Amino acid sequence: MKITDDVPSTLTALDRPNSYIGRSVPRPNLARLTQGRGHYVTDVTLPRMAHVAYVRSPHAHARIVRIDTTAAKKMPGVIAAVTGPELAKVITPWVGVLTHLKGLKSAPQSAIAIDRACWQGEAVCAVVARTRAEAEDACALVQVDYEELPTVTDPETALDAATHVIHADLGDNLCFERSLDVGTVDAAFAGSDAVVETTFVFGRHTGVTNEPRAIVADWNPGEQRLTVYHGTQAPHMMQNLFAKHLGLEESQVRVLTKDVGGSFGIKVHTYADEMAVVALSKLLKRPVKFVADRIESFVTDIHARDHRVKAKIGVMNDGTITAFEIDDLTGIGPYSVYPRTSGIEANQIVNLTGGPYACPNYRAHTRVVFQNKNVMCQYRAVGHPIACAVTEGLVELAAAKIGMDPLDIRRKNLIADNAYPTGSASGLKFEALSHHASLDKLVKMMDHDALRAEQTALRHKGIYRGIGFASFIEVTNPSAAFYGVGGAKISAQDGCTIKLDAQGAIVCHTGVTEQGQGAEAVIAQVAASAFGVAIERVRVITGDTDNTPYGGGTWASRAAGIGGEAAWQAGKALRQNVLAVAGSILQAKPETLDIRDSQVVDAGTGKERIGLDEVARIAYFRPDTLPPGFQAELMATRHYVPRAFPFSFTNGIQASYLEVDTDSGFVKLLKHWCVEDCGTVINPQLVDEQVRGGVVQGIGAALYEQCVYDERGQMLNGNMADYLVPMASEMPDIQCGHVVSPTADSELGAKGAGEAGTAGAPACVMNAINDALRPLGAAPLTDMPFTPGKILRALGRVS
Amino acid sequence: MKPAPFGYAKARSLDEAIGLLGQQPDGVKLLAGGQSLIATLNMRLSEPRLLVDINGLHELSGIRLDNDHLVIGAMTRQVEIERSADIARHAPLLAKALPHIAHPAIRNRGTIGGSIAFADPAAELPACLTALSAEIEIAGPSGKRTVRADDFFKGLFETALGPQDVLTAIRIPTALADHRCGFDEFARRLGDYAIVGLAATARANGAGLKDVRLAYFGVGATPVRASRAEVALAAGDLDKAVASLSGDIDPQDDVQENAAVKQHLAGVLLRRVAKQMTEARS
Amino acid sequence: MSSLQCDITLTVNGETIRETVEARKTLVDFLRDDLGLTGSHVGCEHGFCGACTVRLNGVIVRGCLTLAVQCDGAKVETIEGLSDTGECADLQTAFETRNALQCGFCTPGMLLTAQELLASDRVPSREAIREHLSGNYCRCTGYHAIVDAVEAVAKARAGSGT
């Protein structure tokens, strides 16, 4: 099997002997998973463990008049039936706001609805029983009387005076609003040779992690301690929140995260039904397990996207882009999700639109409104797929309008590769990007001219193929600017502790977590390289708030860039500590020594002096033989947080080649390419697979995925037959390439790569469809997902 | 979700199965392949008191030739039909349709009888049997009877099966030399229930077709015969056949596509399926 | 004659098991909850994701669309069994080397499905691999790496004549 290491070597400080940086090392933890020996939260069982199932509101908005649990409590196996007011005695409510998103407001949310259900699927009563099946049996007997209330579902009318206000105390249904006006937008449009204006619509998505959300909470009254087995991306954040809302010290809460069956941002939020589980465990003094089943996942896992963006671009006949303008509107459900808020996606759209281009004139307005649907919040590539599709959709429409090649208009306007450091009109700061180098590489990889020739030839035969592009930028390695400055206790820094064991191997404890991205492999590669051992001599421990340094976890493409740098620095520090021990044993100056492949060697000659196993033996068991007053320090901890830039931006470009069946409106994806620049590539294979997986999630957005609601707030396709996730048959092969512009903010130089694929894929599939249909005079498609019906209507085949 | 509690009985004979069905008239369901039923049980969309498992009735399984008919036992797994040389030769329409049904693991377990009795309006097999002029053999408390596929599908998930009836076999006239068939469907993803699909048979008539049978699925409560289009197609007028579909089928909006799109796609399918049949060589 | 609870005897990964099960219990819940075979996963419970794929009497089935009580007298094999016998060790290694799994939740089902394909089609095309795996949902990989791994094993097996 060929593994392509398509990475130019630009390594310097990282270029240590036997370095693993830049190598496609297989992940060390995979055999466990291929053999079915993983340990997911859904697999956890504990003595006396009970299962909870929830009675959920069938109404999008209703007053809870009365709940009668009498019959349910009599059912065999039932331990308790608990309503919102009863549980509120154990756990306090929360409000999802951040102070740096000025004006963002929300209402208090409880673990179980108190007197009102605000979306279809909100839990109104918990039933705890010996088995999940028995809990469900009893749920069926809980009598709930509802009084239906007016529902708010359409964001377009949510702010109208005649519309019911969901939370009366807030005064209106506006959660957040932001405006930006930079440069001279009106003058720029007035002076443009052409202006293109259209409206983009993005479907409401959900993550559909293969393992649903799962949590086991174990309150031990004897220890006065809560242990939570939780499929989460941010164990320390959850430790803080569980403690805060149960009235405990953080030291009384331990969060353990073992294998997680997919996350994608779904598992980085506070879910009411999960908060209820920790409260139920405290209330009932025994372990309680909750696994969301697929049906309840669809109406409770956060949703995302669902934006309507009116957008406008101005362009000169030579291709110069003169201005961008957007007006964005989104409905985020009845509550801003805690603690990251539901204003971030809209905020990112304002920040990111137009971002790849050197265009000084930009106006943006966004409104985030409350409605009676499931909550929306951050999901993989937050805001990026929307900003990218708006920007790249406008750019290709503008190119078509002035008769310019879509690559030429990009060459004309993309920020020059030698212009850095620079920024965007919206105020983003770019350290070093490579839009033009990436575009050049993509053109070669896809054999662009041959593909265009094939496209033209096939058109003569009535076969309509399209080629679409999307240049993109991606926010990675967030500093405290993302959440910390807004008051949320979400760590921006991460730590790594590395210790030498008694046989000369090392153990890394890291604050970042593993949900399949390969964070453990990356930490192992970095630590092995920094310290000087084979990767087989490294063990990585993640996901345990008792045993890892305080950290943020894995989200926003931060694990490799931030967690990796902490591991690099810790590895270097431990090397110095161990060389101090070796120097004292060998009567040599530590700076003349190095560690290579588990041997202490002369740095200059590479001559082996003493093995790490022997150093460890002496340090741990015969310290009496070391010089008086010398203390071996065989554990080192380092922390890291980006400081020079609020975010480490990456960039790249994608291309899609597809065929539209103009009779049926069906789209066949033929091939997909992505060139991206995430700085130093620690593991090319892992980066490529992040890109590929992300691309397919983006294709899901473009063609398939959408939570369909009716006007009464009922989700109509909340199952896997009707909510269409991408499956193997319809997906294309995806070719990846890299350009490397390391960040100087860290020694490692690594930026994130987890969201690039998802950011760009919807835009380039959209552009490819429009490219295919342009010769037929079809109206441009800008309303995702692009179903056969929408394509047929654009072609005028169906009215 | 987990199913609501139910009892389970494994029938040792057809008569026993029929007897068990009579014990609790409202709350009994037959368990064949279970690939639709168990999903509905898991979601508590169906809460029977008793399941009567007929997977042990080997006499209901298998494919055999009976003079000019192919007889497929109701409990024959879909994978067996997909791989059967007899099916490929004598009922090639089924061989064309089978790969579109769900996925390999489902076809390993799902049965032809289960699919017919469940009668999902978007399923492939009911339409195929309609196109094939199949007969459905039924055993009940008052003995055996045979119902033509055209008469079997009564309404949405509703068939000619009575509460104590067991579907035992399907009889299909074997394909003659002039037999032509075509199958196609539009599904967003391989194995999904179709937005709209078409199973068709005809006999060659020179360069044209006669005895055309067009059975659409996904466009109504049952498989829907497009009788005006059948006539037009037999008359060699494909355009008229497509145009007359508006009088033959009346699809409804669903969560995937609206009625107009389905109506249009039905026409596209007709052209493609007609092409399959006219281009086929015996 | 009928009962909410039934006694069943079956072999699971070669071991004879006798248990009393609720009639309503699915095969995958029985394997996971009663036998501790947690390698088979529950992803959707309505037959769409394929995470619960196990072998029943030699063919792959959905563990969520089969009742445990139906498996009286049957032979059931799970990823744990295949791992212990080494039957698909080459596929497992290929998945690991090619990073054809990320979170790993779909992987046992994916492996059993791929193993069945390679038993009937020695060197399937990439398209045929994609078709055969079309009922197994993976949110992480985008499928490309999985197709690569299965294709590589197919070629290796064909080349070595096994």
Side-chain angles (χ1 to χ4, degrees):
Chain A
M1 193 176 319
K2 185 164 173 283
I3 294 165
T4 313
D5 280 16
D6 178 30
V7 179
S9 177
T10 59
L11 304 176
T12 50
L14 316 178
D15 207 8
R16 285 180 41 73
N18 305 319
S19 174
Y20 289 95
I21 310 296
R23 288 172 55 191
S24 289
V25 179
R27 287 158 57 198
N29 49 348
L30 286 191
R32 214 160 41 78
L33 300 179
T34 62
Q35 293 172 15
R37 297 178 208 279
H39 200 198
Y40 300 88
V41 176
T42 41
D43 301 334
V44 171
T45 59
L46 297 174
R48 288 189 79 217
M49 187 176 82
H51 296 258
V52 63
Y54 293 100
V55 179
R56 296 186 179 277
S57 171
H59 305 294
H61 199 193
R63 190 171 312 287
I64 301 163
V65 178
R66 190 183 67 104
I67 298 179
D68 183 352
T69 58
T70 315
K73 282 175 174 164
K74 288 179 183 160
M75 288 288 284
V78 170
I79 294 156
V82 182
T83 62
E86 289 163 349
L87 203 63
K89 292 170 188 159
V90 187
I91 188 164
T92 57
W94 52 85
V95 183
V97 293
L98 287 167
T99 56
H100 68 306
L101 296 180
K102 287 190 181 56
L104 188 146
K105 62 184 191 271
S106 188
Q109 185 180 3
S110 300
I112 297 178
I114 303 286
D115 56 1
R116 196 165 57 110
C118 290
W119 82 90
Q120 173 222 4
E122 184 173 7
V124 300
C125 182
V127 176
V128 183
R130 281 190 328 122
T131 68
R132 169 79 187 210
E134 286 175 331
E136 289 181 16
D137 293 345
C139 278
L141 299 182
V142 173
Q143 296 281 332
V144 187
D145 296 340
Y146 295 98
E147 176 192 322
E148 283 195 68
L149 296 169
T151 54
V152 180
T153 51
D154 183 1
E156 299 283 355
T157 56
L159 300 177
D160 291 356
T163 301
H164 182 84
V165 175
I166 296 173
H167 304 294
D169 290 350
L170 299 182
D172 58 26
N173 289 322
L174 183 67
C175 171
F176 176 61
E177 181 168 28
R178 182 184 167 199
S179 294
L180 195 66
D181 197 342
V182 183
T184 52
V185 175
D186 291 328
F189 280 124
S192 297
D193 290 329
V195 171
V196 175
E197 204 169 350
T198 190
T199 299
F200 295 88
V201 178
F202 300 86
R204 186 178 255 257
H205 301 161
T206 187
V208 198
T209 58
N210 205 337
E211 182 190 36
R213 290 185 295 109
I215 184 169
V216 180
D218 182 11
W219 169 252
N220 184 327
E223 291 183 320
Q224 289 289 299
R225 209 152 188 255
L226 177 73
T227 303
V228 186
Y229 303 81
H230 195 193
T232 179
Q233 299 170 236
H236 286 98
M237 180 190 92
M238 293 313 302
Q239 177 193 32
N240 167 260
L241 296 174
F242 293 144
K244 181 178 175 183
H245 293 282
L246 290 173
L248 303 172
E249 297 295 322
E250 285 190 26
S251 60
Q252 288 178 279
V253 179
R254 179 185 187 188
V255 177
L256 279 161
T257 299
K258 298 187 171 187
D259 293 316
V260 180
S263 50
F264 318 109
I266 296 299
K267 297 175 182 171
V268 74
H269 308 294
T270 303
Y271 286 93
D273 53 19
E274 295 178 8
M275 295 297 271
V277 173
V278 297
L280 287 165
S281 178
K282 190 146 184 283
L283 187 74
L284 301 172
K285 304 181 178 65
R286 61 192 294 172
V288 177
K289 181 173 188 173
F290 170 64
V291 178
D293 69 39
R294 186 56 61 194
I295 303 303
E296 64 190 337
S297 295
F298 273 109
V299 291
T300 57
D301 287 10
I302 58 119
H303 292 178
R305 319 297 189 232
D306 202 5
H307 283 244
R308 183 277 290 144
V309 187
K310 293 180 181 168
K312 193 172 168 185
I313 187 172
V315 66
M316 304 306 291
N317 282 333
D318 70 353
T320 304
I321 297 170
T322 55
F324 287 102
E325 180 174 3
I326 60 167
D327 177 56
D328 173 45
L329 176 68
T330 182
I332 46 95
Y335 298 102
S336 169
V337 174
Y338 185 63
R340 289 166 194 252
T341 82
S342 303
I344 297 285
E345 183 142 42
N347 201 50
Q348 289 291 59
I349 292 165
V350 171
N351 287 336
L352 295 166
T353 299
Y357 297 99
C359 172
N361 305 308
Y362 177 47
R363 182 186 291 144
H365 179 224
T366 185
R367 284 167 301 157
V368 177
V369 302
F370 294 113
Q371 60 185 169
N372 297 112
K373 295 183 184 176
N374 183 22
V375 292
M376 293 221 304
C377 199
Q378 281 78 283
Y379 167 52
R380 194 179 198 174
V382 189
H384 292 68
I386 298 169
C388 181
V390 168
T391 305
E392 296 301 280
L394 288 174
V395 166
E396 292 213 358
L397 290 173
K401 186 145 186 178
I402 60 170
M404 195 168 187
D405 180 90
L407 288 175
D408 288 341
I409 195 171
R410 289 184 172 86
R411 288 189 179 104
K412 178 98 187 166
N413 293 283
L414 285 168
I415 298 171
D417 288 358
N418 62 5
Y420 300 96
T422 186
S424 73
S426 67
L428 302 176
K429 292 179 170 53
F430 303 135
E431 180 191 6
L433 303 179
S434 59
H435 287 298
H436 293 268
S438 297
L439 186 148
D440 291 343
K441 184 156 194 170
L442 179 88
V443 166
K444 282 200 197 96
M445 258 170 53
M446 67 191 291
D447 200 358
H448 172 264
D449 295 348
L451 216 57
R452 280 285 183 213
E454 178 181 82
Q455 178 190 32
T456 307
L458 287 170
R459 274 181 190 168
H460 296 303
K461 297 180 184 172
I463 293 168
Y464 290 88
R465 290 189 173 179
I467 302 169
F469 302 93
S471 288
F472 62 87
I473 52 173
E474 182 199 343
V475 172
T476 79
N477 293 3
S479 72
F482 220 155
Y483 295 114
V485 298
K489 290 192 172 169
I490 301 169
S491 172
Q493 65 79 47
D494 244 285
C496 185
T497 296
I498 306 185
K499 69 184 178 205
L500 186 74
D501 79 8
Q503 293 184 314
I506 58 174
V507 184
C508 307
H509 302 251
T510 174
V512 298
T513 54
E514 173 71 88
Q515 301 113 42
Q517 297 92 334
E520 287 183 24
V522 164
I523 298 296
Q525 282 177 270
V526 169
S529 305
F531 182 66
V533 294
I535 199 164
E536 294 76 18
R537 305 285 286 165
V538 182
R539 204 156 62 80
V540 179
I541 291 172
T542 67
D544 179 354
T545 56
D546 269 7
N547 289 301
T548 60
Y550 204 96
T554 297
W555 43 270
S557 298
R558 70 185 295 283
I562 295 177
E565 180 69 11
W568 176 255
Q569 297 298 343
K572 279 174 47 178
L574 184 64
R575 172 155 49 98
Q576 296 313 315
N577 291 358
V578 169
L579 290 178
V581 181
S584 73
I585 296 168
L586 298 169
Q587 302 287 299
K589 289 184 175 168
E591 55 271 26
T592 67
L593 302 172
D594 194 5
I595 303 173
R596 293 175 195 167
D597 198 15
S598 292
Q599 297 291 324
V600 175
V601 300
D602 282 328
T605 65
K607 180 168 178 282
E608 291 184 8
R609 298 292 305 275
I610 185 171
L612 282 182
D613 53 348
E614 184 62 7
V615 175
R617 186 190 67 81
I618 292 167
Y620 284 121
F621 307 118
R622 294 304 307 276
D624 57 306
T625 65
L626 295 173
F630 180 85
Q631 177 59 53
E633 292 295 344
L634 301 177
M635 185 146 101
T637 300
R638 289 293 181 274
H639 294 83
Y640 172 71
V641 68
R643 297 294 296 273
F645 291 86
F647 307 99
S648 194
F649 274 90
T650 71
N651 70 278
I653 182 167
Q654 298 188 27
S656 168
Y657 188 45
L658 52 76
E659 184 173 313
V660 181
D661 176 348
T662 54
D663 289 329
S664 69
F666 273 63
V667 173
K668 182 172 175 57
L669 302 167
L670 301 170
K671 188 85 191 265
H672 201 103
W673 298 265
C674 178
V675 175
E676 65 80 60
D677 181 349
C678 63
T680 303
V681 174
I682 298 169
N683 185 321
Q685 185 187 54
L686 292 183
V687 170
D688 286 357
E689 295 315 319
Q690 279 300 299
V691 169
R692 290 194 173 103
V695 162
V696 165
Q697 242 166 335
I699 289 172
L703 296 181
Y704 296 105
E705 297 184 42
Q706 184 170 28
C707 299
V708 181
Y709 275 85
D710 70 12
E711 68 283 357
R712 298 183 59 236
Q714 296 288 318
M715 186 171 170
L716 302 178
N717 63 338
N719 62 73
M720 288 191 76
D722 295 322
Y723 183 93
L724 308 180
V725 289
M727 300 299 280
S729 254
E730 292 73 29
M731 291 304 111
D733 280 349
I734 299 157
Q735 192 181 348
C736 303
H738 304 275
V739 174
V740 176
S741 310
T743 171
D745 210 10
S746 68
E747 266 183 55
L748 209 47
K751 310 175 191 175
E755 297 163 285
T758 309
C764 75
V765 170
M766 173 179 71
N767 285 340
I769 291 172
N770 287 326
D771 181 56
L773 301 185
R774 195 163 287 123
L776 295 167
L781 284 140
T782 54
D783 178 1
M784 297 186 198
F786 303 116
T787 60
K790 289 179 188 171
I791 290 171
L792 289 170
R793 283 189 285 276
L795 285 166
R797 297 293 185 95
V798 171
S799 55
Chain B
M1 282 181 83
K2 310 298 178 193
F6 53 74
Y8 172 87
K10 186 160 188 172
R12 286 161 297 188
S13 70
L14 186 55
D15 286 343
E16 188 187 24
I18 293 165
L20 285 164
L21 286 173
Q23 284 184 357
Q24 300 185 48
D26 293 330
V28 193
K29 281 197 183 293
L30 275 186
L31 174 59
Q35 301 304 283
S36 298
L37 175 61
I38 296 175
T40 64
L41 298 177
N42 287 349
M43 293 191 274
R44 297 195 183 214
L45 297 172
S46 168
E47 297 191 12
R49 278 181 283 175
L50 174 67
L51 285 193
V52 176
D53 185 355
I54 53 171
N55 280 274
L57 303 184
H58 300 295
E59 66 270 32
L60 297 188
S61 186
I63 301 163
R64 65 185 170 84
L65 271 173
D66 177 14
N67 295 318
D68 57 353
H69 276 75
L70 200 56
V71 182
I72 308 172
M75 289 300 294
T76 307
R77 309 282 172 192
Q78 288 157 359
V79 66
E80 296 171 59
I81 297 168
E82 184 179 7
R83 293 183 187 163
S84 161
D86 279 338
I87 295 286
R89 185 164 167 216
H90 299 296
L93 177 64
L94 290 179
K96 282 187 180 186
L98 255 296
H100 294 272
I101 301 174
H103 309 286
I106 304 274
R107 298 198 292 270
N108 280 343
R109 192 89 187 132
T111 64
I112 186 169
S115 175
I116 302 304
F118 186 59
D120 190 302
E124 290 84 358
L125 287 173
C128 287
L129 295 201
T130 303
L132 286 166
S133 304
E135 294 169 333
I136 288 139
E137 295 188 350
I138 298 167
S142 52
K144 297 188 174 178
R145 69 187 200 279
T146 300
V147 177
R148 296 187 317 137
D150 277 332
D151 303 324
F152 182 79
F153 302 100
K154 300 283 191 194
L156 193 62
F157 298 106
E158 193 187 332
T159 68
L161 291 167
Q164 267 188 273
D165 285 341
V166 179
L167 194 164
T168 56
I170 288 107
R171 292 174 62 85
I172 299 170
T174 50
L176 303 174
D178 63 354
H179 175 82
R180 297 289 180 267
C181 69
F183 182 93
D184 205 352
E185 67 176 40
F186 287 117
R188 294 300 311 279
R189 303 171 303 179
L190 181 66
D192 280 358
Y193 278 117
I195 297 169
V196 50
L198 173 59
T201 61
R203 289 168 62 202
N205 183 23
L209 300 170
K210 62 181 178 183
D211 293 349
V212 179
R213 293 176 68 87
L214 303 173
Y216 277 94
F217 52 102
V219 300
T222 63
V224 178
R225 286 279 299 280
S227 45
R228 292 177 184 82
E230 289 172 357
V231 173
L233 197 56
D237 192 341
L238 181 56
D239 289 336
K240 188 179 173 192
V242 171
S244 59
L245 282 175
S246 59
D248 281 333
I249 60 172
D250 183 22
Q252 304 296 305
D253 297 353
D254 65 24
V255 75
Q256 300 291 354
E257 293 294 356
N258 69 22
V261 171
K262 289 182 163 201
Q263 187 78 46
H264 169 83
L265 291 176
V268 176
L269 279 179
L270 182 51
R271 292 183 189 280
R272 292 180 184 183
V273 167
K275 191 163 180 243
Q276 287 177 30
M277 294 199 288
T278 51
E279 287 184 354
R281 295 284 174 274
S282 57
Chain C
M1 197 179 307
S2 76
S3 166
L4 299 175
Q5 302 246 332
C6 303
D7 294 330
I8 57 171
T9 304
L10 67 164
T11 72
V12 179
N13 298 327
E15 296 171 20
T16 302
I17 306 288
R18 183 183 300 166
E19 280 283 347
T20 301
V21 295
E22 274 195 287
R24 63 165 151 174
K25 186 162 253 184
T26 60
L27 175 57
V28 68
D29 278 350
F30 170 69
L31 293 169
R32 290 174 52 82
D33 300 347
D34 297 33
L35 305 186
L37 292 166
T38 52
S40 307
H41 297 142
V42 177
C44 75
E45 296 179 289
H46 55 287
F48 274 84
C49 78
C52 62
T53 305
V54 296
R55 254 195 220 152
L56 175 62
N57 295 329
V59 301
I60 56 165
V61 301
R62 298 282 203 239
C64 75
L65 297 184
T66 309
L67 299 173
V69 67
Q70 291 184 277
C71 300
D72 186 31
K75 175 180 154 190
V76 174
E77 295 160 283
T78 69
I79 188 63
E80 289 91 343
L82 268 67
S83 299
D84 288 350
T85 63
E87 182 193 317
C88 64
D90 52 353
L91 259 178
Q92 289 166 316
T93 302
F95 269 55
E96 292 153 21
T97 310
R98 183 58 190 83
N99 200 47
L101 65 153
Q102 291 182 26
C103 81
F105 202 75
C106 71
T107 310
M110 210 56 95
L111 288 166
L112 264 72
T113 306
Q115 179 71 358
E116 179 165 288
L117 169 68
L118 297 186
S120 63
D121 186 352
R122 283 170 57 87
V123 190
S125 64
R126 290 180 76 80
E127 191 182 13
I129 293 167
R130 286 182 179 277
E131 284 179 11
H132 196 83
L133 299 176
S134 66
N136 290 72
Y137 172 53
C138 171
R139 188 56 139 176
C140 299
T141 64
Y143 303 103
H144 181 129
I146 295 172
V147 178
D148 282 355
V150 175
E151 186 181 37
V153 171
K155 286 177 178 166
R157 285 189 191 176
S160 67
T162 52

